[in-house]
Amino acid sequence: MPSHDKALAAAASAAASFMLVRSVVNELLPDELRDALRSGVGRLRSHMSSQHTITVDRKVDDLTSNHVFEAVKAYLAAHVNTRTQQHLCVSSLDEDDKMTVTMAEGEEVADVYDGTEFKWCLNYRYVSSDSGNGSRGNGGKHQLEAHSFVVTFPKKHKEKALSSYLPHIVATAKAMKAQERTLQIYMNNWEDWHPMDLHHPSTFGTLAMDYEVKQSIVDDLNRFIKRKDYYKRIGKAWKRGYLLYGPPGTGKSSLIAAMANHLRFDIYDLELTAVQSNSDLRRLLVGINSRSILVVEDIDCTIKLQQREGGQEDTKSDSSDEENGSEKVTLSGLLNFVDGLWSACGEERIIVFTTNYKERLDPALLRPGRMDMHIYMGYCTPDSFRTLANNYHLIDYHATFPEIEKLIKEVTVTPAEVAEVLMRKDDADTALHDLLDLLKSKLNDANVIKTEHSSANSQLDEEPNGSYRGDY
């Protein structure tokens, strides 16, 4: 088949000629001319093709990076098919950083969005790595660097690419970055915040709460973060308040950590006893970043807040403070940030107050618009027990479960107490029988107290002459 051989030879010759020309162009032409030539060829190809292209350069100018380029890079890194891609680039910032797999020069990644296929390629170019203006011809040092992403798609979908697809990439990359970053917890000292890495492992999956209550909190949080335009339309600051109340050891701090991990929000733990005045409080609060959770734990007892409206105030203490030139932190000062003018400083914030005694709180703190959702953190229930058993021993059922759940309904035991017993022993059978003993002991103690209380009431009701007073 001579004709077939000739065709193969011609194709091989053409390919070799193309590679030679490309090599000569890369070696001999200056960077500026080579870029101009590539741009001209691209424009010619665009006019003759039914496809359209968009270029996303690495930098806006010599000094400013293009955040869209970084977004595309992160987005495509998550869409690279490592099984089918011929050539990959692997990198990491340091030995402890996870490796990032990205596309290499000349490779193509196809992405389908809303039924349209978008094909991406990454262009590289040589750049000078020394401080002079040397070029390859006079000994200057050069290195390859990623220069721009180019996406190709049918011309009729140009509007979709600009108004929908690229914003989708930027939003997705932002969400990916938020998921990967290490959360921070901030502590206040006078008028400054001091951050530390937050590695609390609590999630809504591991949180020991009734399923329905837990799901209502998750749904509320998810609704909140999607309603930026809604809050703007109704003229309210984009924030939401939660009051967590209930006995100690019922999981209030774990719920806050679960909220932070779910939303990927930093936590600002405000210690009011370390704040000297309302002005210091304002400086602290306006320094809180957006997408964060402000936490004030034990709001009823961390500081003696002055009553804002009509309450009894400690006038002796107030006059002493005035003589010392000190302005106290007041309830009014705190409420101004919760829902006053200062609440508009920053957005997408969660505010959480916790207390063991809701009845001690000033009514001004509790009204809707300040604390939007009141969440009772109660004693252990069968649902929360099963979550704890799965957390600590990876079991969904055991022969002791029915009796344990029956006792949990009859006695008051906190999730913290149950967790403490379950984590003492590695053997699930032993740990669950220890928990059973604890619950039986609590039930016995409760019965003894109930008997003593009934006996005491009987003695009080009995008259000295031996008759009973009774009720009329």
Side-chain angles (χ1 to χ4, degrees):
M1 298 178 61
S3 60
H4 182 263
D5 293 340
K6 287 181 179 180
L8 288 176
S13 176
S17 299
F18 174 77
M19 295 299 295
L20 177 61
V21 171
R22 182 179 178 181
S23 176
V24 170
V25 168
N26 285 337
E27 290 295 328
L28 299 180
L29 292 183
D31 294 341
E32 295 80 4
L33 183 56
R34 191 170 65 254
D35 291 341
L37 180 62
R38 183 185 295 115
S39 178
V41 172
R43 284 196 298 270
L44 179 62
R45 186 187 302 119
S46 177
H47 285 302
M48 298 176 63
S49 172
S50 61
Q51 299 291 98
H52 194 80
T53 61
I54 293 177
T55 299
V56 182
D57 289 326
R58 185 185 181 197
K59 291 187 176 182
V60 177
D61 53 44
D62 290 341
L63 299 176
T64 309
S65 296
N66 183 358
H67 84 278
V68 180
F69 178 92
E70 298 301 327
V72 171
K73 181 180 178 181
Y75 178 85
L76 292 180
H79 288 73
V80 169
N81 191 329
T82 56
R83 291 179 299 176
T84 60
Q85 210 75 20
Q86 296 288 333
H87 188 185
L88 298 170
C89 281
V90 179
S91 62
S92 65
L93 296 176
D94 54 59
E95 62 181 10
D96 296 324
D97 190 52
K98 70 175 185 178
M99 293 189 299
T100 301
V101 180
T102 56
M103 59 193 300
E105 182 186 18
E107 290 295 298
E108 190 176 80
V109 171
D111 182 40
V112 177
Y113 173 76
D114 194 22
T116 302
E117 185 177 63
F118 294 86
K119 294 182 177 179
W120 288 92
C121 68
L122 178 60
N123 288 338
Y124 283 74
R125 71 172 179 180
Y126 280 99
V127 294
S128 176
S129 60
D130 56 14
S131 57
N133 296 321
S135 62
R136 285 186 303 277
N138 58 14
K141 297 179 180 179
H142 287 73
Q143 62 184 17
L144 274 173
E145 74 166 21
H147 173 55
S148 60
F149 284 105
V150 176
V151 59
T152 305
F153 52 90
K155 282 185 176 180
K156 63 181 180 179
H157 295 302
K158 178 180 177 181
E159 184 62 27
K160 179 193 289 187
L162 291 172
S163 63
S164 180
Y165 180 52
L166 289 177
H168 162 73
I169 288 178
V170 172
T172 302
K174 180 181 178 181
M176 291 167 55
K177 183 178 180 181
Q179 288 294 326
E180 292 174 356
R181 77 179 182 90
T182 301
L183 297 182
Q184 302 285 302
I185 182 169
Y186 291 80
M187 301 177 294
N188 63 294
N189 181 16
W190 297 96
E191 38 183 88
D192 294 322
W193 292 107
H194 302 280
M196 295 178 61
D197 288 349
L198 175 66
H199 296 293
H200 200 296
S202 178
T203 67
F204 281 104
T206 62
L207 198 62
M209 290 181 66
D210 278 340
Y211 175 79
E212 291 184 0
V213 176
K214 192 178 349 183
Q215 191 59 47
S216 69
I217 299 170
V218 172
D219 291 343
D220 193 72
L221 292 172
N222 291 340
R223 187 184 309 113
F224 167 75
I225 61 176
K226 295 176 181 177
R227 303 183 92 185
K228 179 178 182 179
D229 293 337
Y230 173 79
Y231 277 87
K232 184 177 181 181
R233 178 171 64 80
I234 64 175
K236 289 178 65 68
W238 191 14
K239 63 174 183 59
R240 192 141 181 89
Y242 295 85
L243 174 69
L244 313 184
Y245 67 99
T250 52
K252 291 184 282 291
S253 296
S254 294
L255 174 56
I256 294 170
M259 294 167 72
N261 287 324
H262 179 73
L263 297 173
R264 303 304 298 168
F265 280 15
D266 291 330
I267 292 176
Y268 286 79
D269 188 11
L270 178 62
E271 178 56 61
L272 282 173
T273 56
V275 184
Q276 299 298 308
S277 66
N278 280 339
S279 57
D280 289 341
L281 179 63
R282 281 195 298 270
R283 276 191 288 269
L284 277 171
L285 296 180
V286 298
I288 296 175
N289 293 325
S290 297
R291 294 182 59 82
S292 60
I293 301 176
L294 172 66
V295 178
V296 183
E297 296 193 90
D298 298 322
I299 183 66
D300 58 296
C301 59
T302 53
I303 192 169
K304 185 177 180 181
L305 294 171
Q306 291 176 287
Q307 300 293 318
R308 187 184 65 155
E309 43 196 43
Q312 293 182 352
E313 297 182 357
D314 188 346
T315 54
K316 181 178 179 180
S317 175
D318 291 346
S319 61
S320 174
D321 286 333
E322 289 176 2
E323 291 173 3
N324 294 333
S326 172
E327 177 197 0
K328 292 175 64 176
V329 175
T330 64
L331 179 61
S332 176
L334 185 61
L335 295 181
N336 270 335
F337 182 78
V338 173
D339 71 344
L341 290 176
W342 288 98
S343 67
C345 298
E347 58 181 12
E348 203 172 0
R349 284 183 181 153
I350 301 291
I351 301 172
V352 179
F353 290 163
T354 75
T355 179
N356 295 334
Y357 308 99
K358 181 181 177 181
E359 65 278 3
R360 296 181 183 177
L361 297 182
D362 190 291
L365 277 171
L366 302 178
R367 73 167 177 80
R370 289 173 178 162
M371 293 295 105
D372 304 286
M373 196 170 183
H374 296 194
I375 303 168
Y376 175 65
M377 307 293 292
Y379 292 103
C380 196
T381 65
D383 274 352
S384 51
F385 158 68
R386 284 179 176 265
T387 300
L388 291 170
N390 187 268
N391 289 348
Y392 290 100
H393 293 285
L394 302 177
I395 56 174
D396 295 319
Y397 185 78
H398 187 271
T400 58
F401 275 23
E403 188 176 3
I404 288 176
E405 291 175 2
K406 181 177 180 295
L407 287 169
I408 281 178
K409 294 177 182 179
E410 298 178 6
V411 302
T412 55
V413 59
T414 66
E417 290 178 287
V418 174
E420 173 61 26
V421 174
L422 291 178
M423 69 185 301
R424 287 177 189 166
K425 305 288 177 60
D426 292 333
D427 178 64
D429 187 71
T430 305
L432 289 169
H433 278 93
D434 286 350
L435 177 60
L436 201 54
D437 291 340
L438 171 69
L439 296 174
K440 289 178 179 179
S441 174
K442 280 181 169 287
L443 181 62
N444 182 62
D445 292 343
N447 289 334
V448 170
I449 293 174
K450 185 177 179 180
T451 301
E452 292 176 349
H453 182 70
S454 299
S455 176
N457 286 340
S458 298
Q459 292 177 7
L460 288 174
D461 288 341
E462 187 176 352
E463 291 291 338
N465 59 5
S467 65
Y468 285 87
R469 197 170 52 206
D471 294 326
Y472 296 93

